[in-house]
Amino acid sequence: MVTTTEKLSELLTDRDELRAEVDLVVNAAPVMDVHTHLFPPEFNELCLFGIDELLTYHYLTAETLRSARIPYNQFWSMSKTSQADLVWKTLFVDNSPTSEAAQGIISVLDVFGLDTRAPDLKEARAFFNSQNLNDHIDQVFDIAGVSGVVMTNDPLDETEAEIWKTGINVDQRFKSSLRLDSLLNDFDSGSVPAIRRLLDQSIQRLNPVYLAASLPPDFKYPSDEIRDGLLREVVLPTAKEYGLTLTLMVGVRRSVNPELREAGDGLGRADVSSIERLCADHPDVKFLVTFLSRENQHELCVAARKFNNLMPFGCWWFLNNPSIVTEITRERLELLGQSFIPQHSDARVLEQLIYKWKHARKQIADALYSSYEQLLQNGRAITPQEISRDVNRLFSGNFNEWNSACG
Ligand code: RAT
Ligand code: ZN
């Protein structure tokens, strides 16, 4: 009889068996979702779920307004349910839902056994409205195989601040991160000591896993901009003092079309050498970094080879399409081994966890299989145990290491 230990150390020399094992391990591994915009139910209207929220996701409103051709203002003046009805009619009834965001809706409906070709949203609304929210959250986390999610918490947001002030005990699966965009990019948020006090207070109250900021493509370090002073005088010293990772999301051009509101941001190629200089000047800070432009991905991998305090993460936003995720994940496996975090969901609506992770697992499994298959061709077979070790590192180990080894 073959024991479990023998099975785990068995060499996978048959390609079909190798493929099956990679799929098994990748689909079963719990994942730590390192960047989302999700909130637990205690945050009331900030906790988004259900079909109307799913369909009015900004990725889909932008696509709808390309085909529906109604004036932007008219769309925004509609109720959320009417907007969702229009998105459904435009992208799912009058057209085929081929885009990644639209395919995501199909994956979610399908998981719950709902009609993916329905003429309207009656059935889906009835289903989501009948769910008990806490049970539904458990079910969604379970289906997605997500062990925890990192929220995006804005220390200047008054709605959030009111809730944190009550001293609530947040569900352990929802980790906090302090998002510094309004502090770093608005430039009028107060004096250095005032910002520092706000950060200290927020860190004590929220116990974040990291500090984060998104940055425009023209971000330069060093520079003589106000942001540079805030980084040097407040953010980096705070990160060092508390042993907190600094997460930088680079390359977003905000409000390229303000009429599209939340859907109106674009992207631009950024300067990776600024991140290299930050890593070189602050070897005692750990950086989690993602770039929005496809053109920056190779440079990011090379920068990470030079600085072991730099961890590339995710295929962010406009990169989260199967063709690009496949390319980036393979490139990272080829240049960095398993020393990166392949994906985050960026989910804003609870059930997006289901599709974003279903789709990501597929692309990660494809890329890993291809690496192991090459390894086999080159003369080395892999074992099930080694596949598990590699996947756990990619799905949670690298993030945990980043957040425990600081300080
Ligand atoms: O992906 C998104 O939903 C974007 O709107 C942004 O939230 C982006 O991820 C960000 O965190 O700035
Ligand atoms: Zn985000």
Side-chain angles (χ1 to χ4, degrees):
M1 205 182 84
V2 184
T3 65
T4 316
T5 329
E6 276 163 2
K7 213 166 161 18
L8 286 175
S9 52
E10 208 172 87
L11 291 176
L12 294 162
T13 50
D14 176 273
R15 284 175 174 72
D16 291 340
E17 279 178 26
L18 172 61
R19 178 73 231 200
E21 187 64 27
V22 170
D23 287 345
L24 192 78
V25 174
V26 169
N27 288 328
V31 70
M32 178 66 208
D33 195 340
V34 307
H35 170 65
T36 78
H37 299 265
L38 296 175
F39 286 91
E42 294 80 4
F43 285 76
N44 309 318
E45 73 270 16
L46 295 177
C47 170
L48 305 182
F49 60 95
I51 194 65
D52 292 302
E53 297 295 351
L54 285 167
L55 286 170
T56 51
Y57 186 34
H58 65 91
Y59 292 31
L60 288 170
T61 54
E63 290 170 27
T64 300
L65 288 165
R66 291 191 54 72
S67 294
R69 302 243 162 246
I70 66 165
Y72 300 124
N73 279 344
Q74 191 182 326
F75 182 80
W76 300 121
S77 68
M78 289 158 67
S79 67
K80 184 160 278 181
T81 48
S82 307
Q83 289 175 358
D85 285 335
L86 181 68
V87 173
W88 181 256
K89 180 176 179 321
T90 308
L91 299 180
F92 297 82
V93 178
D94 295 346
N95 292 286
S96 299
T98 55
S99 77
E100 170 60 14
Q103 303 237 13
I105 298 286
I106 298 302
S107 289
V108 172
L109 294 177
D110 187 56
V111 152
F112 291 116
L114 298 165
D115 183 2
T116 56
R117 300 186 58 88
D120 57 42
L121 298 172
K122 267 192 221 107
E123 183 200 30
R125 281 199 181 112
F127 169 79
F128 287 107
N129 289 339
S130 69
Q131 301 302 306
N132 166 290
L133 183 53
N134 286 310
D135 295 345
H136 187 53
I137 292 176
D138 291 348
Q139 192 188 11
V140 168
F141 271 62
D142 187 48
I143 297 171
V146 167
S147 56
V149 298
V150 179
M151 302 180 279
T152 297
N153 304 112
D154 179 353
L156 292 181
D157 184 280
E158 283 170 17
T159 316
E160 269 194 66
E162 285 307 313
I163 297 164
W164 288 112
K165 255 191 235 157
T166 63
I168 51 158
N169 269 329
V170 178
D171 180 330
Q172 278 302 299
R173 289 171 300 185
F174 290 80
K175 320 268 177 225
S176 160
S177 74
L178 268 189
R179 182 71 175 248
L180 308 179
D181 285 35
S182 37
L183 289 174
L184 277 181
N185 296 332
D186 291 349
F187 301 155
D188 58 358
S189 25
S191 63
V192 163
I195 298 177
R196 180 61 210 242
R197 270 196 305 278
L198 176 70
L199 277 188
D200 286 335
Q201 198 185 59
S202 306
I203 291 170
Q204 269 134 33
R205 201 171 269 162
L206 277 63
N207 190 21
V209 285
Y210 59 69
L211 305 176
S214 76
L215 296 163
D218 61 3
F219 167 70
K220 286 259 173 312
Y221 173 89
S223 85
D224 48 18
E225 282 185 356
I226 297 175
R227 189 196 293 116
D228 193 81
L230 291 173
L231 259 181
R232 279 171 205 281
E233 287 169 46
V234 189
V235 178
L236 287 158
T238 308
K240 283 180 204 179
E241 200 174 307
Y242 289 93
L244 284 169
T245 292
L246 182 56
T247 296
L248 299 175
M249 307 172 74
V250 194
V252 53
R253 288 166 60 225
R254 298 285 179 196
S255 277
V256 169
N257 182 356
E259 300 236 58
L260 275 174
R261 299 195 179 175
E262 222 181 11
D265 299 340
L267 67 81
R269 183 177 180 156
D271 168 26
V272 176
S273 67
S274 286
I275 297 295
E276 290 175 342
R277 284 189 289 276
L278 260 175
C279 291
D281 285 359
H282 304 277
D284 46 349
V285 174
K286 290 202 157 64
F287 295 89
L288 269 176
V289 177
T290 199
F291 279 82
L292 193 49
S293 164
R294 179 181 174 206
E295 282 62 39
N296 282 132
Q297 302 308 316
H298 183 246
E299 290 166 275
L300 174 61
C301 287
V302 176
R305 292 174 64 92
K306 307 299 134 195
F307 297 96
N308 69 2
N309 57 336
L310 168 57
M311 177 78 77
F313 79 98
C315 300
W316 182 24
W317 199 346
F318 307 112
L319 298 171
N320 192 1
N321 304 304
S323 59
I324 303 183
V325 174
T326 299
E327 170 185 293
I328 295 175
T329 309
R330 288 183 184 201
E331 186 169 64
R332 288 175 177 171
L333 284 169
E334 286 163 4
L335 280 160
L336 301 171
Q338 296 92 52
S339 64
F340 67 97
I341 296 171
Q343 191 53 304
H344 64 271
S345 75
D346 235 312
R348 285 172 182 266
V349 183
L350 176 69
E351 299 88 352
Q352 288 171 344
L353 288 177
I354 294 174
Y355 93 77
K356 300 234 189 192
W357 284 110
K358 175 186 171 206
H359 299 191
R361 284 180 202 270
K362 158 109 183 49
Q363 287 117 35
I364 295 166
D366 287 350
L368 268 177
Y369 170 73
S370 151
S371 292
Y372 296 142
E373 206 265 336
Q374 274 171 37
L375 206 51
L376 188 59
Q377 270 183 41
N378 290 331
R380 175 167 164 158
I382 195 112
T383 69
Q385 199 164 32
E386 288 165 344
I387 299 177
S388 290
R389 176 200 59 199
D390 295 351
V391 172
N392 287 332
R393 185 170 176 202
L394 293 168
F395 279 21
S396 57
N398 285 330
F399 183 71
N400 292 339
E401 186 210 331
W402 228 237
N403 289 305
S404 61
C406 298

